[in-house]
Amino acid sequence: MTTEAGSETEVKENAEEKSAARLDQSKKATEKTQEVVEEGEAEKEKEGKGITRYLPTWFKKQKSQSQTSPTKEDPPTEEPVSKVNQEEAHVPEVNGHAEEVEEKEQVKEKESESHSNASADTEPAGEEKVEESAQKSLESTEETQEVAEKEEDKKEVEKDRRQGQTSIFQSPLRLVRKNKMKLVVCHVTLLDGSDFTCEVEKRAKGLFLFFKVCEHLNLLEKDYFGLTYKDHHEQKCWLDPTKEIKRQIRSNNWQFAFNVKFYPPDPSLLSEDITRYLLCLQLREDVASGRLPCSFVTHALLGSYTLQAEIGDYEPDQPRPLDYINQLTFAPNQSKEMEEKILELHKSHKGMTPAQADCQFLENAKKLSMYGVDLHHAKDCEGVDIMLGVCANGLLVYKDRLRINRFAWPKILKISYKRNNFYIKIRPGETEQFESTVGFKLQNHRSAKRLWKVCVENHSFFRLNAPEQPPKARFLTLGSKFRYSGRTQNQTRMASTLIDRPAPAFERTSSKRISRSLDGAPMISITDTSREAENGHEPHLELHSDSKSPGRVRGDNIYDHDKTQDEVLKHQASVSELKRSFMEASPPSPPQLNLWEKHLTSSPATATRVQQQTVVLEEEAAGTADNCDAKEPSKTTEVEIEETVVVQEISKAAKPAEELQTWEGQVQGGARLEKKRESISSESESDEEAEYHPNVSLSIRHAQIPEEKEEEEEEQERKELSASSSPVEVNQAAAAVEDEGKDCAEEEKKEVGAEEPMKTPDKAPNGMTPHEEVMCVTTEEEELPKVNGEDSVVEARSQVICCSEPPVVKTEMVTISDTFAAQKSEIATKEVPIVHTETKTITYEAAQLDGSGDGEPGVLMTAQTITSESLCTTTTTHITKTLKGGLSETRIEKRIVITGDCDIDHDQALAQAIKEAKEQHPDMSVTRVVVHKETELAEEDD
Amino acid sequence: MAAGLMAGFGHYTHAIVRGIPASLASEALRSIQAEVDVTKARREHDAYVHALRTTLGLQVVELPADETMPDCVFVEDAAVVCGDTALITRPGAESRRRETEAMKAALKELNLNVVEMTDESATLDGGDVLFTGREFFVGLSKRTNQRGAEILADAFKDYAVSTVPVMEGLHLKSFCSMGGPGLIIIGSSEPAQKALKIMQQMSDHRYDKLTVPDDLAANCIYMNLSNKGHVLLHCTPEEFPESAKMFEKLKDHMLIPLSNMEKVKVDGALTCCSVLLNKKADN
């Protein structure tokens, strides 16, 4: 679900109205989700109530709901929706094989939904407003698939409900299910052009239909195949087996096509002829439609094998073979000459069985350079039209027909997309020290997501031994949790060896297909197949599943992506918290309140979809003595901790460029790093310099997990292993700590999915991401902390400086040493050369703030910066201990940079950040909150 | 064609060569000023043709030299032949454009499917085209541009065509060539090594490499002949003693050193002087 950017006031009212009515329900709903709901939920809910009116953003969510029925809104109507979804999560599906992952997602969504509901406790507003906002949102909405699905679903449920007169407090779904099992007729176009019709339950998952088709085809090696449908934009999409069909397809268009999804690099390894036959059918169509380009001779050769497979040996007395042949389409521009050549070659295949002919066909087809390459239109960083090809080996970049770059899967550390940008983070080469990120611009958000999904699936299928578990939802982890969960090629090959049946008889009747060849068979474009059931899928996994057994193929972390609705909702929920906690901790003076208001209400989000935001929270508190301080053990020391949270959100740079990241683990002593990138065609070459603050003793970073070694890469791999192994460990440790929610300093840092499409040196020794700080919200906390062991941890580390680079500057690196995040943020924001943005910075300072933080310069005892990343956020925690007179002061500055899409809710993120900070340092207080939000006035391209 | 797609790398039956005009000495293009002895050059060339015809048994089509085309001996630049398709290029040096006429006629004579590069914005020298048996690499050089590479990709649709920037040297093949299936012979200069890296990165296939100390020595002619097996025509020890030694590592290859002292002065390498094709594949 997208968070619509509509008029916030309106939204607010709308939501308030609804939520007032539904408060109870939503609570109930929340309870139902218990098992998935994480602790602290109750809190959230509670907190949410108080600050509703400061939190317009989360009503965006509401709005998208109201979109369903923009006019007559009876608030309770919608509630069942969420309930239904939750219910659904627990109702074992007939054909759904432990879809817990997805369900979880849903539940989460709902959960936050209900939070927002719960917190909206103000009086209802007029209905016209609701309408208005709904309409507005409709206009401005970028219609994501999810939204569509949701809506549709909602309508459905509503309908059902009305009919069934179900109590809204019970699950309507359950009743509906019991009483009316609606069946729908699905039409599936098979590879031979024939139509397969079958009935499925209306709520059936994609897998069910897929299995039905495979059953019909008598196909066992199904994993190479998938079903496609056409979405609202006439784009062919892969039907996600794990999701309900109804939610994916265009309303009531139950039309599908059965297609090859993963082209086996070596078809001879397939177990059964029937599988090869189906692959042949697909390829014939690919060739005939021109999707798989080949030369005249190859067209002729492939055509001749087709003839041999279909009509057998050439018979000289066959009546007018040329008449027959020109009914068939072998090539996009089929000439008489070609047909003659085909016939001529056909003669030479005498005696070949159909299965042999298919094999020959495949042996030749597989060598074609575009075999199994799924092309996507894109633009490079300079706006030049290119094609991105996803295949078994990796990602190919084409300009016209020329291959201009190639990124093998083992070279890719991370794949991400943001809005219509698609990014890959590249493992540094032998001579390179640093990772780099390459960005591409897709036509729109949908195509970026589609490409991303294709990459995720292709990588998983061809490179992993087993599918990766979807990421666990957690705070500040934005993005799609989509993962491929079908069998990988490895697994399917294993399974194939177990096939023990006589070769099934099947009829080769491809002429049908051939005659309709040019209608454009579905490109492999969207991928969405998971067959969790078969894999015994375990849904509840660690986010960073990098802890998989060593030696195993790991590509786990390479998928980054946009946040999804549920995440957005979470953010929304936490905004309230943020605000509340801030208000409570250090009530801002009236003007500040106004700032808040102003910020929230006048947010350009209404007009534009892209929002960039930085929130700086500063908390300060006076605490008790820090006993941990070895230098001043017995004195009463005043310890001040300042925590700065910088939440930064970046939508995108106006112009995509490459991002260059440099980071190095365990650099000691202010090493000066030079990055040399080898320029490979489109990539510009640049030398980067980075200066690191000395004393980097620990790097905490969620390094992207090194992927499976590939023979070719082994050499390189070896080198990299030494470089990357330790950081990885550290990161995991950090993650673990964070999971417990205890360590103040260690916030998990996951790579920000998609940095700006430019080169940004990522120099942080601990792998700080390049912040393109367009907007930041900074929260600072200053406290007198109790010593609780954390400090020792803190002291063990030294300072790491995180530097940010402005998005468009390619080669320069900002070097900051021994500075605080706040300063950094300033620098960064100043330098951001984005033109089309609106920036807003709001600073709050707690009344009690006495300026001790900036006052006398104390003696710096320790300083450290820890950076953690989640999908769209980068958290940099900067902890310094200073001695001021006899007092030791600990200042924790947390800076959270949210790099986000339009869908993000910064306020919620901010709220969460503050909340977390407070939780981590209960003795501290927030002294300053700086919210820096930058919104890009971007055109909507969707 | 029974062997199918992409089989028979290095299988050749015919070679097209061209005589050396007297104008080569003074008018042929060159990157370094040097005195060329036409007589010596012709002697070299005779040995070259002799090797192709007599030693290796290829059918050699000899085009007559044209005095108005000082560079015409370097026939490689005029056409790219792969399978039964021949792409007539549009050489980057304007003075060489007319060289393609005779080449086109000869290829048509041999019944090849001739494709012409008519686009006025395209330039392509055959010396920038490295065919590995599985794919093409096209050097983007002073003589070859993107458009030329695109047209080549269009002419040979079965194959991946990747572009490689040529930083130094005249052509891509000024510092590399194929030494066998999956074996790239590469010079040791930095630009050469860089280019190799790019090629390796761009390719779905794995290539072994044989690095030779001298870039120019990396230009060899590989053939796989039915009665001779692997054949490599390479530089002489007199020219490049260190590099020549390297080829001895190729135990399975029939090694034929050929002197190229004079032609190299006008940037002519071994591959430059012939267009090789396989007529049998087509029958």
Side-chain angles (χ1 to χ4, degrees):
Chain A
M1 214 167 310
T2 328
T3 8
E4 267 77 80
S7 149
E8 307 205 5
T9 2
E10 288 162 3
V11 181
K12 199 198 311 179
E13 281 161 354
N14 169 19
E16 281 167 356
E17 173 211 5
K18 278 189 276 176
S19 52
R22 273 175 292 155
L23 189 55
D24 286 352
Q25 295 166 17
S26 66
K27 271 188 177 160
K28 281 207 171 171
T30 316
E31 278 162 26
K32 292 206 171 185
T33 60
Q34 213 59 29
E35 42 179 279
V36 235
V37 173
E38 279 140 0
E39 15 156 1
E41 179 197 58
E43 262 175 70
K44 274 190 212 164
E45 202 173 312
K46 216 195 317 159
E47 276 173 347
K49 281 185 215 166
I51 26 162
T52 314
R53 51 201 191 104
Y54 301 117
L55 304 180
T57 19
W58 66 14
F59 299 122
K60 291 171 185 174
K61 159 71 179 169
Q62 295 288 344
K63 209 175 351 153
S64 86
Q65 275 193 337
S66 61
Q67 227 175 313
T68 324
S69 38
T71 28
K72 287 281 134 40
E73 188 77 296
D74 65 334
T77 322
E78 284 184 7
E79 205 43 40
V81 177
S82 51
K83 296 192 85 181
V84 168
N85 285 334
Q86 290 157 8
E87 203 69 356
E88 183 191 358
H90 304 278
V91 174
E93 284 281 86
V94 184
N95 50 356
H97 305 254
E99 314 289 357
E100 282 173 282
V101 181
E102 191 215 323
E103 284 164 9
K104 196 175 162 188
E105 245 173 274
Q106 278 177 9
V107 172
K108 281 259 159 71
E109 245 171 67
K110 294 308 160 192
E111 177 193 332
S112 22
E113 224 173 88
S114 36
H115 284 324
S116 48
N117 286 344
S119 51
D121 57 355
T122 12
E123 354 71 77
E127 283 222 13
E128 321 144 33
K129 289 266 184 179
V130 177
E131 276 180 48
E132 227 176 281
S133 72
Q135 252 160 9
K136 261 207 170 147
S137 71
L138 268 174
E139 281 162 21
S140 65
T141 303
E142 175 189 3
E143 197 182 21
T144 64
Q145 230 171 286
E146 286 95 330
V147 174
E149 285 166 17
K150 264 256 144 65
E151 283 173 33
E152 203 190 306
D153 187 57
K154 252 178 261 162
K155 282 178 200 153
E156 206 73 48
V157 174
E158 264 177 65
K159 239 187 280 161
D160 289 345
R161 196 189 130 266
R162 284 190 196 116
Q163 286 167 358
Q165 292 294 330
T166 330
S167 151
I168 46 166
F169 294 104
Q170 280 173 6
S171 159
L173 178 61
R174 189 162 270 165
L175 296 176
V176 168
R177 285 193 162 186
K178 250 184 235 162
N179 302 338
K180 345 184 156 192
M181 281 264 238
K182 282 191 189 164
L183 293 178
V184 279
V185 178
C186 297
H187 300 276
V188 183
T189 307
L190 302 178
L191 286 167
D192 64 0
S194 65
D195 209 45
F196 168 67
T197 308
C198 71
E199 282 193 330
V200 299
E201 191 188 328
K202 198 161 189 177
R203 289 203 158 272
K205 301 236 157 115
L207 191 67
F208 182 75
L209 178 61
F210 179 70
F211 276 9
K212 276 206 144 189
V213 176
C214 291
E215 196 184 5
H216 168 78
L217 291 167
N218 202 7
L219 174 66
L220 289 185
E221 293 174 290
K222 350 176 171 35
D223 303 283
Y224 301 96
F225 301 85
L227 292 175
T228 59
Y229 64 94
K230 282 201 175 152
D231 71 4
H232 301 257
H233 305 267
E234 287 295 309
Q235 285 278 355
K236 291 269 188 179
C237 304
W238 290 107
L239 189 69
D240 188 335
T242 65
K243 291 187 181 154
E244 284 181 22
I245 300 169
K246 188 165 59 64
R247 291 167 153 244
Q248 302 179 62
I249 58 169
R250 194 169 40 184
S251 41
N252 277 328
N253 185 12
W254 295 74
Q255 285 280 355
F256 307 91
F258 180 81
N259 288 110
V260 173
K261 187 174 188 180
F262 303 113
Y263 289 71
D266 191 352
S268 66
L269 294 180
L270 294 174
S271 281
E272 298 200 300
D273 285 342
I274 189 167
T275 318
R276 267 187 291 272
Y277 167 64
L278 292 170
L279 178 58
C280 276
L281 290 181
Q282 175 74 68
L283 286 165
R284 282 170 198 165
E285 191 164 285
D286 292 346
V287 167
S289 65
R291 242 188 339 266
L292 181 54
C294 47
S295 65
F296 176 90
V297 181
T298 305
H299 271 304
L301 185 68
L302 295 177
S304 69
Y305 287 125
T306 301
L307 275 191
Q308 182 69 24
E310 285 180 10
I311 65 175
D313 286 352
Y314 171 81
E315 299 290 345
D317 47 342
Q318 213 172 318
R320 316 205 39 177
L322 270 177
D323 284 354
Y324 170 68
I325 197 176
N326 63 23
Q327 312 256 312
L328 309 180
T329 310
F330 296 101
N333 301 307
Q334 188 169 319
S335 59
K336 261 265 143 336
E337 192 191 357
M338 183 181 290
E339 288 167 8
E340 277 163 18
K341 185 82 183 167
I342 290 171
L343 280 177
E344 181 192 325
L345 289 168
H346 180 210
K347 289 177 199 170
S348 68
H349 303 325
K350 233 177 181 163
M352 208 179 263
T353 67
Q356 285 171 328
D358 279 351
C359 283
Q360 286 303 312
F361 179 97
L362 294 175
E363 281 308 293
N364 284 284
K366 78 172 187 195
K367 292 178 190 161
L368 294 168
S369 77
M370 298 307 284
Y371 172 83
V373 177
D374 177 19
L375 288 177
H376 298 251
H377 287 279
K379 284 186 196 302
D380 70 5
C381 53
E382 276 139 22
V384 178
D385 283 312
I386 53 160
M387 297 286 268
L388 292 174
V390 186
C391 66
N393 293 323
L395 191 64
L396 304 165
V397 186
Y398 294 93
K399 188 169 170 231
D400 296 304
R401 286 188 176 281
L402 298 174
R403 187 183 289 184
I404 56 171
N405 214 338
R406 172 180 178 271
F407 304 99
W409 290 129
K411 267 291 239 187
I412 299 178
L413 293 168
K414 191 179 67 176
I415 308 165
S416 57
Y417 75 96
K418 181 186 303 173
R419 277 174 56 84
N420 60 336
N421 294 312
F422 175 80
Y423 307 89
I424 48 174
K425 185 185 259 184
I426 311 299
R427 185 191 298 281
E430 291 165 60
T431 58
E432 301 163 328
Q433 267 175 320
F434 309 109
E435 300 158 1
S436 55
T437 297
V438 184
F440 302 97
K441 222 180 186 64
L442 278 287
Q443 209 179 357
N444 52 42
H445 174 86
R446 273 176 297 108
S447 32
K449 185 174 185 182
R450 193 160 51 225
L451 172 60
W452 178 79
K453 279 181 154 189
V454 172
C455 285
V456 169
E457 294 202 311
N458 271 270
H459 173 268
S460 300
F461 185 79
F462 291 111
R463 297 283 303 164
L464 301 184
N465 284 330
E468 179 196 358
Q469 306 303 342
K472 185 175 127 191
R474 59 204 319 271
F475 175 68
L476 288 181
T477 306
L478 305 179
S480 161
K481 277 175 231 67
F482 171 83
R483 288 294 185 269
Y484 175 71
S485 52
R487 279 198 275 210
T488 64
Q489 181 173 239
N490 252 333
Q491 290 172 325
T492 195
R493 278 182 182 165
M494 291 293 284
S496 293
T497 61
L498 302 176
I499 292 178
D500 182 24
R501 66 170 182 185
F506 58 93
E507 210 179 328
R508 287 180 161 83
T509 53
S510 69
S511 31
K512 270 180 277 173
R513 171 208 60 82
I514 285 179
S515 52
R516 55 136 198 158
S517 63
L518 277 176
D519 70 353
M523 307 268 302
I524 338 167
S525 43
I526 296 214
T527 49
D528 233 272
T529 297
S530 13
R531 279 151 229 168
E532 308 167 44
E534 294 168 42
N535 301 325
H537 185 92
E538 300 162 47
H540 304 290
L541 254 215
E542 290 282 311
L543 171 68
H544 301 288
S545 36
D546 29 295
S547 48
K548 282 178 187 170
S549 55
R552 193 158 162 197
V553 186
R554 309 204 249 166
D556 314 66
N557 274 3
I558 77 168
Y559 318 129
D560 268 4
H561 35 57
D562 249 352
K563 56 240 129 243
T564 48
Q565 295 307 314
D566 49 340
E567 301 292 353
V568 171
L569 290 176
K570 281 189 124 192
H571 276 256
Q572 291 171 348
S574 55
V575 175
S576 63
E577 264 179 77
L578 166 138
K579 289 179 181 164
R580 198 179 65 120
S581 60
F582 180 73
M583 304 299 173
E584 282 171 6
S586 42
S589 46
Q592 288 169 332
L593 249 176
N594 291 341
L595 277 174
W596 260 122
E597 294 277 11
K598 197 182 168 202
H599 164 66
L600 295 169
T601 52
S602 68
S603 156
T606 344
T608 65
R609 305 274 309 153
V610 189
Q611 304 161 0
Q612 294 169 327
Q613 174 172 358
T614 312
V615 181
V616 181
L617 295 181
E618 214 175 277
E619 299 177 34
E620 277 183 36
T624 51
D626 182 352
N627 296 331
C628 264
D629 191 341
K631 288 167 192 162
E632 309 263 352
S634 52
K635 270 187 200 167
T636 330
T637 45
E638 194 191 323
V639 182
E640 184 185 311
I641 294 190
E642 180 181 289
E643 183 161 326
T644 306
V645 181
V646 179
V647 181
Q648 172 175 33
E649 178 155 347
I650 301 166
S651 296
K652 63 158 192 189
K655 191 179 171 209
E658 271 179 78
E659 160 201 331
L660 230 171
Q661 303 171 335
T662 62
W663 80 272
E664 195 74 352
Q666 302 170 323
V667 180
Q668 294 263 357
R672 179 182 166 127
L673 302 175
E674 261 203 28
K675 159 147 193 168
K676 232 189 223 167
R677 283 193 95 237
E678 286 206 279
S679 110
I680 288 175
S681 49
S682 66
E683 298 172 12
S684 56
E685 179 164 352
S686 58
D687 287 0
E688 308 259 339
E689 286 185 4
E691 274 186 4
Y692 287 83
H693 197 81
N695 309 326
V696 179
S697 61
L698 235 191
S699 62
I700 297 175
R701 168 177 201 256
H702 270 279
Q704 304 300 317
I705 315 300
E707 226 196 325
E708 164 195 44
K709 285 174 207 164
E710 208 184 45
E711 290 160 60
E712 305 103 278
E713 306 272 336
E714 247 167 7
E715 201 183 322
Q716 180 194 332
E717 201 82 37
R718 249 178 277 128
K719 278 177 202 155
E720 277 160 13
L721 271 178
S722 56
S724 64
S725 54
S726 41
V728 173
E729 282 165 37
V730 173
N731 291 336
Q732 290 175 352
V737 175
E738 209 251 341
D739 280 347
E740 287 159 40
K742 280 181 185 152
D743 195 316
C744 60
E746 294 164 322
E747 285 246 44
E748 179 163 7
K749 169 176 175 175
K750 229 194 134 195
E751 293 289 344
V752 173
E755 302 307 321
E756 295 302 76
M758 54 188 141
K759 296 199 164 190
T760 305
D762 180 359
K763 53 176 95 179
N766 57 1
M768 305 198 179
T769 38
H771 307 296
E772 290 100 30
E773 321 209 1
V774 182
M775 289 216 264
C776 353
V777 179
T778 317
T779 308
E780 267 182 47
E781 240 180 76
E782 237 180 85
E783 293 184 15
L784 294 191
K786 278 209 170 144
V787 185
N788 51 359
E790 289 167 8
D791 289 340
S792 52
V793 179
V794 167
E795 279 174 356
R797 299 190 192 107
S798 41
Q799 186 165 14
V800 175
I801 301 302
C802 168
C803 304
S804 331
E805 249 218 346
V808 185
V809 180
K810 280 192 171 180
T811 54
E812 209 179 310
M813 199 176 242
V814 184
T815 305
I816 304 165
S817 60
D818 210 352
T819 42
F820 289 165
Q823 294 169 279
K824 282 185 249 163
S825 120
E826 274 172 34
I827 290 166
T829 34
K830 257 186 245 155
E831 289 193 10
V832 167
I834 287 186
V835 186
H836 314 282
T837 52
E838 269 188 21
T839 324
K840 203 157 274 175
T841 307
I842 297 147
T843 308
Y844 280 80
E845 298 208 338
Q848 71 210 60
L849 177 60
D850 56 6
S852 56
D854 34 46
E856 334 96 65
V859 179
L860 183 70
M861 289 157 62
T862 59
Q864 65 160 345
T865 301
I866 298 141
T867 305
S868 68
E869 280 180 309
S870 66
L871 292 180
C872 291
T873 62
T874 304
T875 306
T876 309
T877 309
H878 195 90
I879 303 172
T880 43
K881 281 194 176 183
T882 17
L883 269 181
K884 284 185 185 174
L887 301 180
S888 119
E889 175 184 292
T890 306
R891 228 176 129 78
I892 301 178
E893 209 174 82
K894 235 182 203 185
R895 177 186 174 85
I896 301 174
V897 179
I898 301 180
T899 309
D901 233 346
C902 40
D903 298 348
I904 206 166
D905 186 326
H906 336 293
D907 301 289
Q908 179 164 18
L910 176 58
Q912 178 67 20
I914 295 177
K915 183 189 159 216
E916 274 179 9
K918 288 193 68 69
E919 277 172 4
Q920 285 161 353
H921 314 286
D923 300 325
M924 297 191 179
S925 65
V926 178
T927 55
R928 202 170 56 165
V929 179
V930 180
V931 179
H932 182 77
K933 179 170 181 175
E934 196 157 323
T935 308
E936 184 180 345
L937 304 171
E939 71 298 335
E940 196 46 55
D941 39 11
D942 239 15
Chain B
M1 211 51 210
L5 193 56
M6 300 184 195
F9 176 59
H11 291 206
Y12 301 114
T13 56
H14 290 63
I16 300 174
V17 297
R18 197 165 190 179
I20 297 179
S23 55
L24 175 95
S26 51
E27 290 165 49
L29 302 169
R30 66 205 77 190
S31 35
I32 309 155
Q33 278 311 316
E35 288 289 310
V36 181
D37 184 330
V38 178
T39 320
K40 270 192 195 168
R42 283 184 174 148
R43 207 178 301 142
E44 273 174 16
H45 193 57
D46 288 345
Y48 181 92
V49 175
H50 177 82
L52 295 179
R53 180 182 286 145
T54 314
T55 318
L56 299 173
L58 299 183
Q59 302 223 27
V60 177
V61 177
E62 272 195 273
L63 305 177
D66 187 328
E67 286 302 325
T68 65
M69 300 177 212
D71 291 293
C72 68
V73 62
F74 305 122
V75 288
E76 175 187 48
D77 292 323
V80 177
V81 179
C82 179
D84 63 350
T85 299
L87 173 67
I88 307 300
T89 65
R90 192 168 176 277
E94 193 155 3
S95 63
R96 301 192 57 191
R97 302 259 158 88
R98 286 190 303 119
E99 290 176 27
T100 58
E101 290 163 15
M103 179 56 71
K104 184 168 78 185
L107 291 167
K108 280 195 167 152
E109 190 70 21
L110 287 165
N111 272 324
L112 267 90
N113 167 31
V114 172
V115 180
E116 286 185 78
M117 194 175 278
T118 48
D119 192 327
E120 301 260 311
S121 66
T123 61
L124 180 84
D125 274 16
D128 277 316
V129 179
L130 179 68
F131 178 64
T132 70
R134 289 304 302 267
E135 63 192 312
F136 284 97
F137 292 106
V138 178
L140 298 180
S141 66
K142 297 179 193 79
R143 300 280 178 85
T144 300
N145 63 20
Q146 182 94 10
R147 185 73 193 117
E150 278 166 24
I151 292 171
L152 179 126
D154 233 22
F156 304 104
K157 288 201 182 75
D158 294 348
Y159 299 96
V161 178
S162 307
T163 53
V164 184
V166 175
M167 308 297 187
E168 257 171 57
L170 181 63
H171 287 137
L172 177 64
K173 279 195 278 188
S174 298
F175 52 75
C176 69
S177 64
M178 293 308 289
L183 174 66
I184 295 176
I185 300 175
I186 186 82
S188 52
S189 74
E190 201 187 310
Q193 290 295 320
K194 218 167 180 176
L196 176 71
K197 279 240 171 63
I198 292 174
M199 291 192 279
Q200 284 171 332
Q201 188 199 322
M202 300 277 258
S203 176
D204 295 324
H205 309 287
R206 294 185 58 184
Y207 294 105
D208 296 323
K209 61 170 180 180
L210 175 66
T211 307
V212 294
D214 310 283
D215 277 5
L216 287 172
N219 182 291
C220 306
I221 299 174
Y222 167 78
M223 295 185 213
N224 185 356
L225 302 179
S226 50
N227 50 349
K228 304 270 184 318
H230 300 289
V231 177
L232 193 72
L233 285 72
H234 62 86
C235 64
T236 57
E238 292 76 43
E239 240 175 315
F240 300 110
E242 294 302 313
S243 295
K245 264 187 235 164
M246 301 298 289
F247 297 115
E248 287 161 23
K249 288 184 180 174
L250 302 171
K251 301 282 183 215
D252 297 335
H253 287 53
M254 170 182 177
L255 298 174
I256 304 176
L258 283 175
S259 174
N260 198 39
M261 301 271 234
E262 287 306 311
K263 284 186 281 187
V264 81
K265 293 178 184 168
V266 281
D267 302 314
L270 288 176
T271 58
C272 297
C273 302
S274 61
V275 169
L276 302 171
L277 48 118
N278 185 12
K279 273 303 291 172
K280 265 183 199 145
D282 198 30
N283 295 332

